[in-house]
Amino acid sequence: PIHTESGSHEGEAFGQLYTWNFKTRLGKVFSASAGFTLPDKSIRAADASWVSNEKYEALSPGERKTFARLVPDFVIEIKSDTDNLRKSKEKMTETWIANGVRLAWLLDVAAEKAYVYRANGSIEVVEGFDKKLSGEDVLPGFEFELNLLQNN
């Protein structure tokens, strides 16, 4: 388990992603408890993740009841007070992006920084939680309000 504040941050991230997906119905949203078997054979879970309907529907009913061999299209990781920033950044590039995630966000609430990782290898640092992050072409129309993490 994580402490209360971190749990609230994870809930906010999941909630914003879920609300967007509820409106668009473009895929499936997964909580921090959902594990995926990645191409490198590791089993990983993000604080919030999203998979397109096309990928999800390709799974058999049996596969859906396992740690499916499935790479999310999008993941959010929230850096907690006890997480090492360097290791968190490595996880984003060496685990998520290296295995095929198209867009990944590492949110450092304490420092008010968001790190945006893209499949093309680019990394953008967004400073200040008075901004919104875009779901770009992966999550069309999704805007994540960073300021809502400050109010937790």
Coordinates of all heavy atoms in Angstrom, one line a residue, residues 114-118 122-126 136:
A114 N 6.2 17.6 -14.6 CA 5.7 16.4 -15.4 C 6.7 16.1 -16.5 O 7.2 17.0 -17.2 CB 4.4 16.8 -16.0
Y115 N 7.0 14.8 -16.6 CA 8.0 14.4 -17.6 C 7.1 13.6 -18.7 O 6.4 12.6 -18.3 CB 9.0 13.5 -17.0 CG 9.9 14.1 -16.0 CD1 9.4 14.2 -14.6 CD2 11.1 14.8 -16.3 CE1 10.2 14.8 -13.7 CE2 11.8 15.4 -15.3 CZ 11.4 15.4 -14.0 OH 12.1 16.1 -13.1
V116 N 7.2 14.0 -19.9 CA 6.4 13.4 -21.0 C 7.3 12.6 -21.9 O 8.2 13.2 -22.5 CB 5.6 14.5 -21.8 CG1 4.8 13.9 -22.9 CG2 4.7 15.4 -20.9
Y117 N 7.1 11.3 -22.0 CA 7.9 10.4 -22.7 C 7.1 10.0 -23.9 O 5.9 9.6 -23.8 CB 8.3 9.2 -21.9 CG 9.2 9.5 -20.7 CD1 8.6 10.0 -19.6 CD2 10.5 9.4 -20.8 CE1 9.4 10.3 -18.5 CE2 11.3 9.7 -19.7 CZ 10.8 10.2 -18.5 OH 11.5 10.5 -17.5
R118 N 7.7 10.0 -25.1 CA 7.0 9.6 -26.3 C 7.8 8.5 -27.0 O 9.0 8.3 -26.8 CB 7.0 10.8 -27.3 CG 6.2 12.0 -26.7 CD 6.1 13.2 -27.7 NE 5.3 14.3 -27.1 CZ 5.9 15.2 -26.4 NH1 7.2 15.3 -26.2 NH2 5.2 16.2 -25.9
S122 N 11.6 11.2 -27.6 CA 11.6 12.5 -27.1 C 11.1 12.6 -25.7 O 10.2 11.8 -25.3 CB 10.9 13.5 -28.0 OG 9.5 13.3 -27.9
I123 N 11.7 13.4 -24.9 CA 11.2 13.6 -23.5 C 11.1 15.1 -23.3 O 11.9 15.9 -23.6 CB 12.3 13.1 -22.5 CG1 12.5 11.6 -22.7 CG2 11.8 13.4 -21.0 CD1 13.8 11.1 -22.0
E124 N 9.9 15.5 -22.8 CA 9.6 16.9 -22.5 C 9.4 17.1 -21.0 O 8.7 16.3 -20.4 CB 8.3 17.3 -23.3 CG 7.9 18.7 -23.0 CD 6.6 19.1 -23.7 OE1 6.0 18.2 -24.4 OE2 6.1 20.2 -23.5
V125 N 9.9 18.1 -20.4 CA 9.7 18.4 -19.0 C 8.8 19.6 -19.0 O 9.1 20.7 -19.5 CB 11.0 18.8 -18.3 CG1 10.8 19.1 -16.8 CG2 12.0 17.6 -18.4
V126 N 7.7 19.5 -18.3 CA 6.7 20.5 -18.1 C 6.8 21.0 -16.6 O 6.6 20.2 -15.7 CB 5.3 20.0 -18.4 CG1 4.3 21.1 -18.1 CG2 5.2 19.6 -19.8
E136 N -2.3 14.1 -26.8 CA -1.8 14.1 -28.1 C -2.6 13.2 -29.0 O -3.8 13.1 -28.9 CB -0.3 13.7 -28.0 CG 0.5 14.7 -27.1 CD 2.0 14.4 -27.0 OE1 2.5 13.5 -27.6 OE2 2.6 15.2 -26.2

